[in-house]
Amino acid sequence: METLGPSPAPGQKRTFVSRFFPNSDTNYIRRYKFLEEPEPSETAASGTPPPDAASDPAEKHVHKAQLEDGMVEQVNGPYRGEIAKPVQRSLGFFGAFFNMIAYSIALGILSIPMVVATIGMVPFVLLCCLFSFLTWYIGYNYWRIAMMYPGVQNLQQVGELIFGPIGGVIFATFQAIFSVFLQGNHVLLGGYAFYYLGWDACMIVMVLVFTIISFVFTLPRSYRLFSAFAAISFTSIFTVVIIAMIASGVSGPQNRDPSEPPKAVHAFGASRRIPHSFLDGVLGTTNVFVSFGAIPAYLPVVAEMKRPQDFHYSLIMLVAVSFVMYVIVGCIMNYNLGQFTTSPSLGSLTTVMIKVSYGLALPTILVAGCASGQVTGKMFMINVFSGARRRFLDNKVVTWTVWIVINIISWALAFVLAEVIPFFSTFLGLEASLFWSVFFFFAPMFYLWRHQFDYWNHWRNRLGTIVALVMIGMAGFFMIAGTWASAVSIRDLYKTGNVGSPFSCEMPSS
């Protein structure tokens, strides 16, 4: 049973922590499904026949895991067709980094200067240090559970691994709702980009066109191919922020009235022109928190890496690049624009620079939404071809049809939600506060599950347990405070009459 960890030592009673997790024989047997299995060629070469129905129940689960592992190979196989045999784990650590950075850093980075203007430079840099550590901590614990059970492909399977089928359904629901809303946010941003680039059409049409384009670019099923799109996305947003910083320094804030005082930069706090209540501080902090990391993408990316051990290097690169970019962009843009910073800060630039920036940012807006669609699409793909239906995986027409239908449904839902909710951007903050905090909560929960029988046996375990409990408290704070702040913002929108109507051709105000 040692390979199925975590398990009690012989004669050991259940600990306080272990009582929060199911530990029946059924749970132990189910863990076989997510263990690493030998390649089919190795099994054939050894001459070992597959276990029959009369074998030990655990052996039957091992055989089932082998079949499902082959199914995942087909789902995550190469997009290009020159290799007929499905290939698993084709992603390198640079590709893993680009896939995660595309999920993490998008056009939202240009809203960071407004956070700096609200809370001050020093608190912002300290927050970036804190969130960098949280990003590493979350990614590390996701990676550890993936290394412990290499058959795990997504959050749904972790939920099933720890809590059984009900846990899998709950985790999958969290993942699906969050991803579809995030896709909706990006199709709405795409509509904004078309508008600022000069396409004076109905907003519904612009959002619909961007939705169709996003659907097309989500079709590649391999992260190895998608990493090329992700690299273009990162190059795109990197170019945009460089241009925006230079333009803001050269021209200064274009939205400043000549009668207003010159720009001012504060190490702590904000000027009178910038709203700086506790509510605004919480909203800004939550926005920075959500901007760090790519939590839902961690497990799918690890599942496709040639060397999953290298994920830690990709994670460190993600944390380092995110920290440097957020601190530099936030501080320099705030220094250049002062209290005249807008969200996004492109609104403080000249009309020409706004068009240039949105034009260059189009690949980032597109790929970031597609990265979210990839995560949920693959999760549903695995569910469709589970059990007896896995025999259809040899039929490329069937697999591609299912993959296309899944993406049509997810992008159609994203489009409808983006148009039917008149305060969608603010509502996304509410949804992010709820679900991103839940994804954060999973990381310390994974640690406690792995160490449920030895959480106090060594000083490292005691320290890890204390840190996990602190992290759970922080996740709770972000959920409660962020949800409250977002709900109050939605209420204020209705009070001020800034809420539009569903499926409106007008440019949304929020």
Side-chain angles (χ1 to χ4, degrees):
M1 286 294 183
E2 289 183 0
T3 58
L4 298 181
S7 57
Q12 181 185 12
K13 296 181 179 179
R14 295 193 67 179
T15 64
F16 172 77
V17 174
S18 68
R19 296 185 184 277
F20 290 94
F21 304 103
N23 282 286
S24 64
D25 290 341
T26 303
N27 289 91
Y28 282 114
I29 292 175
R30 184 172 54 246
R31 296 175 189 175
Y32 274 109
K33 177 180 177 180
F34 301 105
L35 293 177
E36 184 72 278
E37 302 301 331
E39 295 292 332
S41 58
E42 296 176 5
T43 306
S46 63
T48 305
D52 53 31
S55 303
D56 181 76
E59 292 296 325
K60 289 190 291 185
H61 281 273
V62 172
H63 182 49
K64 182 179 180 182
Q66 288 177 345
L67 293 174
E68 294 198 355
D69 190 55
M71 177 271 296
V72 174
E73 287 184 9
Q74 176 69 22
V75 172
N76 296 341
Y79 177 65
R80 293 166 297 189
E82 67 268 22
I83 303 176
K85 181 180 177 182
V87 177
Q88 189 186 21
R89 299 193 183 279
S90 59
L91 188 65
F93 78 91
F94 273 115
F97 160 75
F98 281 121
N99 276 287
M100 292 189 294
I101 204 74
Y103 194 107
S104 175
I105 299 181
L107 197 62
I109 191 175
L110 294 173
S111 298
I112 296 296
M114 187 64 178
V115 179
V116 185
T118 303
I119 64 178
M121 281 194 179
V122 174
F124 170 72
V125 173
L126 294 177
L127 277 179
C128 285
C129 293
L130 172 63
F131 292 144
S132 295
F133 171 74
L134 295 183
T135 301
W136 173 84
Y137 178 86
I138 296 169
Y140 179 79
N141 280 284
Y142 275 64
W143 171 62
R144 285 300 301 270
I145 204 166
M147 293 298 293
M148 191 173 182
Y149 289 94
V152 165
Q153 307 284 327
N154 50 53
L155 274 173
Q156 178 193 2
Q157 292 181 331
V158 177
E160 182 182 352
L161 170 70
I162 298 177
F163 296 106
I166 295 178
V169 171
I170 294 174
F171 280 40
T173 302
F174 286 142
Q175 174 66 80
I177 293 176
F178 179 81
S179 293
V180 171
F181 273 97
L182 195 59
Q183 291 171 245
N185 181 59
H186 283 92
V187 298
L188 202 58
L189 285 175
Y192 289 163
F194 286 153
Y195 172 82
Y196 285 117
L197 288 172
W199 187 9
D200 191 16
C202 175
M203 189 64 181
I204 299 175
V205 174
M206 293 188 289
V207 172
L208 177 61
V209 170
F210 199 83
T211 302
I212 296 172
I213 297 172
S214 300
F215 158 74
V216 172
F217 277 85
T218 311
L219 291 180
R221 296 198 305 260
S222 169
Y223 270 133
R224 182 179 180 182
L225 175 62
F226 197 78
S227 61
F229 298 161
I232 295 173
S233 170
F234 177 67
T235 305
S236 167
I237 194 61
F238 184 80
T239 305
V240 169
V241 297
I242 293 295
I243 292 176
M245 288 189 293
I246 295 174
S248 63
V250 171
S251 64
Q254 296 298 298
N255 56 334
R256 173 181 174 270
D257 190 274
S259 61
E260 292 184 284
K263 67 179 178 69
V265 179
H266 297 267
F268 295 90
S271 66
R272 293 182 180 180
R273 195 178 194 275
I274 301 292
H276 51 276
S277 64
F278 179 73
L279 169 67
D280 299 308
V282 170
L283 281 174
T285 301
T286 304
N287 288 337
V288 178
F289 172 53
V290 175
S291 298
F292 271 85
I295 304 177
Y298 290 155
L299 292 175
V301 167
V302 174
E304 293 194 36
M305 292 186 70
K306 290 181 288 188
R307 285 179 47 83
Q309 302 91 328
D310 292 342
F311 175 81
H312 197 210
Y313 302 124
S314 304
L315 178 64
I316 293 174
M317 290 174 62
L318 171 68
V319 173
V321 172
S322 299
F323 175 80
V324 171
M325 286 192 66
Y326 285 136
V327 169
I328 291 178
V329 172
C331 293
I332 291 181
M333 292 289 286
N334 178 248
Y335 178 81
N336 293 336
L337 302 174
Q339 70 271 32
F340 304 100
T341 302
T342 59
S343 179
S345 52
L346 293 178
S348 301
L349 304 180
T350 63
T351 303
V352 173
M353 293 312 303
I354 291 176
K355 288 187 175 183
V356 170
S357 298
Y358 270 107
L360 292 173
L362 273 175
T364 297
I365 300 172
L366 174 66
V367 174
C370 295
S372 182
Q374 283 272 324
V375 172
T376 303
K378 290 178 181 179
M379 180 182 72
F380 283 114
M381 187 80 167
I382 291 172
N383 280 276
V384 169
F385 289 105
S386 63
R389 293 185 297 273
R390 58 179 172 261
R391 68 182 185 275
F392 294 112
L393 287 166
D394 293 330
N395 190 324
K396 291 184 178 180
V397 174
V398 173
T399 54
W400 272 106
T401 301
V402 170
W403 176 249
I404 290 172
V405 169
I406 289 173
N407 281 284
I408 289 176
I409 293 173
S410 70
W411 284 108
L413 285 173
F415 168 75
V416 171
L417 289 171
E419 289 296 325
V420 79
I421 301 175
F423 48 88
F424 186 83
S425 297
T426 307
F427 182 80
L428 184 72
L430 173 64
E431 190 253 357
S433 299
L434 286 170
F435 290 94
W436 201 261
S437 299
V438 171
F439 298 148
F440 175 22
F441 169 79
F442 288 161
M445 185 190 70
F446 294 163
Y447 176 87
L448 294 176
W449 180 77
R450 289 189 296 110
H451 293 278
Q452 58 183 292
F453 294 105
D454 60 354
Y455 68 96
W456 213 250
N457 292 351
H458 190 275
W459 71 266
R460 289 190 181 90
N461 294 0
R462 291 193 287 271
L463 177 62
T465 300
I466 293 172
V467 171
L469 295 177
V470 171
M471 295 296 173
I472 291 174
M474 293 180 65
F477 170 78
F478 285 124
M479 175 180 289
I480 295 172
T483 301
W484 167 76
S486 299
V488 172
S489 296
I490 294 173
R491 182 202 64 186
D492 292 342
L493 286 176
Y494 274 101
K495 282 185 176 181
T496 56
N498 289 327
V499 177
S501 58
F503 289 98
S504 172
C505 280
E506 300 297 325
M507 181 74 171
S509 59
S510 62

